[in-house]
Amino acid sequence: MCGIVGYVGDRQAAEVLLSGLARLEYRGYDSAGVAILHDHGHDHNHDHDVDADDDAGNGNSNSNGNGALTLRKSVGKLAALREALDAEPLSGSVGIGHTRWATHGRPTVANAHPHRDCSGDLALVHNGIIENYASLREELRREGHSFLSDTDTEVIAHLIETYWNEQDTKQPTGSEYVQTSQPGLRLAAAVAAAMRRLKGAYAIAVMHRDEPGTIVAARKDSPLIVGLGQDENFVASDIPAVLEYTREVVILHDDELAILSADGVTVLNTCLEEQEPELLHVAWSLEAAEKGGYEDFMLKEIHEQPTALRETLRGRLVDGVVQLSELELDDAEIAGLNQVFIIACGTSYHAGRIAEIVMEVWARIPTEVQASSEFRYADPIIDEHTLVVAITQSGETADTLAGVREARARGAKVMAITNVVGSRVTREADGVIYTHAGPEIGVAATKTFTSQIAALNILALKLAQSKGTLEQRVIEDIYDELSSLPELVANQLLHQDEIQACASGDCCINACTSLFLGRGIGVPVAMEGALKLKEISYIHAEAYPAGEMKHGPIALISPEVPVIGIATNAATYEKVISNIEEVRARDAQVMLVGTEGNEELRHYAEHVFYVPEVSELLSPIVATVPLQLLAYYIAKARGCNVDQPRNLAKSVTVE
Ligand code: AGP
């Protein structure tokens, strides 16, 4: 979820890039940079790059022939980049800028974008993840390219360089080798050829010293728009970046490229055939645009779950082998493990409770879960035969970090699962699995939760494969089903009417307390539903294993107490229904999360939130979505600030 801005026109590009990047700050970032093509005749041509905090020396400008292509990069907030540009301004009216939210490689100047090719003539910024970057880098290294960063992005710059250079030497054999004087087309041809080699998701903006006055942008599975101005044009990863200058935008589609110059914009497909651009007039306010048109970040992030899940699951099964090199344990070491111990807090703890069940069923390994705040003082029984999994979306939760230290001190190997590259847990754990869900701004964890579940599923599959507890065919079936979840969740999100209608009813809005019930893997789902509701709507919510209800909580039941049951298809479905009948007999208002097609549920509940049919162990992701939306709409109906609930912080860095 990095930010891209590109500009070509009459203004000083650096100013436009900085203001555009500032408009994308809400997306989160940990470093920033710009590349500007120096105009002839301007004053500030430098012989060498002066990267702020340059710890890599990777930014030599190239100042022969056309204007110099110069970079400024800095770690941290945009203020640091602005300072660097104030100290040594870059003059020029064509440039690209980027705010990076680290995914491959730590947040350093060397890893910050833009990245260059070997010649230094090409600069590129990128959002997304290139899945096959390791093999491409190896191939390019063999061809003599050298790399200055740990990023997947740099590979794209060198790949484009290869195709750019081939156009000098090869006869045209297709659209990728273009002999034409149209500005930008040679670069576009090289970009198109590179796109055919890339696997994964990307939005890129590229400039080349020998194509002055143009920027080439392209995308696949990562958003990118073009802003249309008068004698100036813009490219950006999101609309807010250009709203100060224009409200007319082109939405680029997958596998499309755009050539931008001050005079115009041409949209092409990867065969370099001109495409009809999709034009949009933006009527939203800037604030609404930052939220992508959603009312709140929380709702936006709920809707980002399909993308987040795709990113988490991308490339995790290759030729039947579960890919989890982050684990750094070979099969023999995995065979030597006698338990998994999961530590986490809050929503991450609920992901751990789901994983506990999945690990035991798939990998047949005893698994325990403990709240980090308990674990650290509990004198836990763990040793070098224990795999400790620390789950924390922020990577900064004090109790979980303390638990990591405690576990390592006792000889256990610690894997962190986090969403934030370079966060503290990544420095303290032995290995890290990133969820790649993109920055989450709403305090209530939504997309990070479902991504954690997906990552934990992959970990469980890896252990199962190494230990031989699941047949190969079963592993492949599970991975296929997991891979179908993003699409299923996307469909679910199209049908929220029942949830919205229910949330605005008196029974929900005026509730003082509520009860969430589930069995088996439905218990942690119920716990997460209850946490979401209480933290953003301030309605007390209690989650209980449905079978335990008669041992106490049933005393709470009255017509004023909404009961939310997890009644998806499962081995214990009938039991859940019996428990629901018990609460209905006491006049509770019942809502059920159930499997599509199960019409009998309507007899037991005022409202049924249907979710797609998936295997029981994979059901938590689809079952959680309606609970997130229910909490969201109830909180909104009660006038609560869902993005920043009272007393809560996004990272809890104190004990
Ligand atoms: C989730 O909605 C909460 N905001 C909170 O429970 C959170 O999950 C908890 O503080 C743990 O955070 P972490 O994942 O960053 O460690």
Side-chain angles (χ1 to χ4, degrees):
M1 295 289 282
C2 315
I4 286 178
V5 184
Y7 176 74
V8 48
D10 276 342
R11 305 174 201 249
Q12 282 300 317
E15 267 317 304
V16 180
L17 299 182
L18 280 173
S19 77
L21 291 174
R23 298 291 188 203
L24 300 178
E25 276 195 303
Y26 69 91
R27 295 161 72 94
Y29 65 101
D30 37 45
S31 59
V34 295
I36 308 272
L37 191 66
H38 179 72
D39 291 342
H40 285 300
H42 282 88
D43 294 327
H44 303 291
N45 197 356
H46 298 281
D47 294 330
H48 61 280
D49 246 8
V50 186
D51 286 355
D53 305 312
D54 189 348
D55 60 6
N58 68 339
N60 297 326
S61 75
N62 192 331
S63 54
N64 27 357
N66 292 321
L69 184 57
T70 310
L71 310 191
R72 293 279 185 277
K73 307 202 273 187
S74 62
V75 170
K77 292 292 163 197
L78 278 173
L81 181 61
R82 186 172 279 285
E83 264 173 40
L85 283 162
D86 285 347
E88 293 190 81
L90 289 180
S91 173
S93 54
V94 186
I96 52 177
H98 190 263
T99 43
R100 173 175 187 253
W101 197 72
T103 58
H104 289 74
R106 304 173 67 78
T108 61
V109 168
N111 289 334
H113 302 205
H115 289 283
R116 297 213 234 216
D117 63 353
C118 293
S119 70
D121 290 343
L122 177 147
L124 171 140
V125 291
H126 163 228
N127 288 353
I129 295 174
I130 303 303
E131 281 169 34
N132 58 337
Y133 84 101
S135 59
L136 286 173
R137 183 154 65 185
E138 205 33 56
E139 173 189 323
L140 289 161
R141 265 206 183 112
R142 281 198 303 272
E143 288 170 11
H145 292 262
S146 44
F147 291 85
L148 301 165
S149 76
D150 306 321
T151 62
D152 50 340
T153 300
E154 200 184 352
V155 164
I156 314 175
H158 290 271
L159 198 57
I160 297 172
E161 177 181 31
T162 303
Y163 293 113
W164 171 277
N165 289 339
E166 279 186 8
Q167 292 178 69
D168 284 335
T169 53
K170 283 199 178 175
Q171 287 301 312
T173 53
S175 56
E176 68 264 43
Y177 302 121
V178 175
Q179 308 270 308
T180 172
S181 56
Q182 185 188 329
L185 200 54
R186 176 175 177 174
L187 182 56
V191 170
M195 286 168 79
R196 287 195 270 279
R197 301 288 314 280
L198 299 175
K199 289 198 182 123
Y202 50 85
I204 55 174
V206 196
M207 52 197 287
H208 198 287
R209 215 175 110 256
D210 293 337
E211 294 272 30
T214 59
I215 294 172
V216 172
R219 67 156 276 185
K220 179 158 196 313
D221 289 337
S222 202
L224 200 62
I225 60 106
V226 172
L228 304 173
Q230 282 289 328
D231 302 322
E232 59 182 358
N233 288 300
F234 310 80
V235 61
S237 42
D238 206 352
I239 290 170
V242 303
L243 272 193
E244 194 179 334
Y245 307 100
T246 180
R247 289 186 166 269
E248 309 308 319
V249 303
V250 172
I251 308 291
L252 283 186
H253 298 131
D254 281 350
D255 296 313
E256 280 185 347
L257 298 90
I259 303 176
L260 289 81
S261 67
D263 306 331
V265 173
T266 312
V267 177
L268 306 165
N269 63 16
T270 51
C271 297
L272 303 183
E273 293 157 346
E274 203 165 328
Q275 304 295 296
E276 191 62 39
E278 183 192 334
L279 297 169
L280 174 76
H281 172 77
V282 181
W284 311 326
S285 69
L286 187 61
E287 201 204 347
E290 283 181 351
K291 292 172 183 160
Y294 292 99
E295 259 186 70
D296 310 275
F297 283 112
M298 181 180 173
L299 189 60
K300 177 170 179 262
E301 287 153 7
I302 289 172
H303 281 263
E304 284 171 348
Q305 289 180 111
T307 308
L309 287 166
R310 259 180 222 116
E311 294 302 332
T312 310
L313 294 169
R314 200 182 280 288
R316 290 298 188 181
L317 191 78
V318 176
D319 297 331
V321 181
V322 181
Q323 305 292 305
L324 203 63
S325 54
E326 300 93 321
L327 191 56
E328 287 175 17
L329 289 178
D330 59 27
D331 287 354
E333 289 168 308
I334 290 174
L337 294 174
N338 55 23
Q339 67 166 339
V340 172
F341 210 120
I342 300 175
I343 56 173
C345 302
T347 289
S348 297
Y349 170 78
H350 300 152
R353 288 283 302 263
I354 291 164
E356 173 187 25
I357 296 169
V358 175
M359 297 270 184
E360 294 199 340
V361 175
W362 290 351
R364 307 307 297 158
I365 185 160
T367 303
E368 193 169 334
V369 193
Q370 206 163 26
S372 310
S373 52
E374 292 297 316
F375 174 87
R376 62 187 293 191
Y377 299 115
D379 195 9
I381 305 172
I382 57 173
D383 58 21
E384 66 276 19
H385 300 295
T386 309
L387 175 66
V388 170
V389 180
I391 313 170
T392 163
Q393 61 78 25
S394 64
E396 303 288 346
T397 300
D399 284 321
T400 303
L401 289 168
V404 168
R405 280 174 223 128
E406 183 63 34
R408 292 190 73 198
R410 289 169 188 253
K413 174 126 179 161
V414 179
M415 281 305 296
I417 296 188
T418 188
N419 196 40
V420 181
V421 175
S423 57
R424 275 186 63 191
V425 80
T426 67
R427 297 194 286 272
E428 304 227 9
D430 296 299
V432 187
I433 302 170
Y434 288 112
T435 44
H436 297 306
E440 191 175 68
I441 293 161
V443 164
T446 51
K447 63 176 179 172
T448 53
F449 174 64
T450 43
S451 297
Q452 285 168 348
I453 299 171
L456 287 156
N457 281 335
I458 296 296
L459 176 59
L461 278 184
K462 171 74 186 169
L463 298 182
Q465 189 164 55
S466 295
K467 288 164 68 68
T469 50
L470 286 182
E471 281 175 34
Q472 181 62 25
R473 179 188 50 81
V474 176
I475 290 174
E476 289 175 17
D477 286 350
I478 293 173
Y479 186 78
D480 283 350
E481 195 177 359
L482 263 173
S483 304
S484 73
L485 292 184
E487 196 62 41
L488 295 179
V489 171
N491 283 336
Q492 273 182 276
L493 289 166
L494 296 175
H495 307 288
Q496 308 168 13
D497 303 357
E498 177 104 36
I499 302 172
Q500 237 176 312
C502 167
S504 55
D506 278 355
C507 146
C508 286
I509 301 180
N510 298 322
C512 294
T513 189
S514 58
L515 196 58
F516 286 69
L517 301 175
R519 279 175 176 253
I521 207 151
V523 175
V525 172
M527 292 167 80
E528 177 57 10
L531 177 58
K532 283 288 93 77
L533 184 64
K534 72 183 117 186
E535 75 176 325
I536 61 168
S537 76
Y538 315 138
I539 295 173
H540 174 254
E542 184 158 342
Y544 237 77
E548 282 290 290
M549 192 191 46
K550 55 185 157 303
H551 301 290
I554 201 164
L556 291 172
I557 300 297
S558 75
E560 288 75 43
V561 177
V563 173
I564 298 96
I566 314 303
T568 45
N569 289 356
T572 52
Y573 168 78
E574 305 290 344
K575 306 279 176 200
V576 172
I577 292 300
S578 302
N579 299 134
I580 293 300
E581 294 208 88
E582 287 160 15
V583 297
R584 272 187 77 76
R586 286 153 185 90
D587 295 328
Q589 299 281 319
V590 176
M591 294 153 228
L592 291 177
V593 175
T595 305
E596 263 163 21
N598 184 354
E599 287 304 317
E600 83 162 5
L601 290 174
R602 297 217 183 263
H603 302 304
Y604 303 113
E606 275 70 39
H607 296 275
V608 183
F609 312 137
Y610 283 109
V611 300
E613 175 149 29
V614 295
S615 314
E616 184 175 349
L617 292 187
L618 299 189
S619 64
I621 289 178
V622 294
T624 297
V625 174
L627 301 181
Q628 295 170 338
L629 289 166
L630 183 68
Y632 171 83
Y633 286 118
I634 293 176
K636 289 295 284 183
R638 286 165 62 93
C640 302
N641 179 343
V642 293
D643 284 339
Q644 289 175 325
R646 68 187 180 208
N647 306 336
L648 292 174
K650 189 70 190 159
S651 337
V652 184
T653 53
V654 291
E655 184 174 356

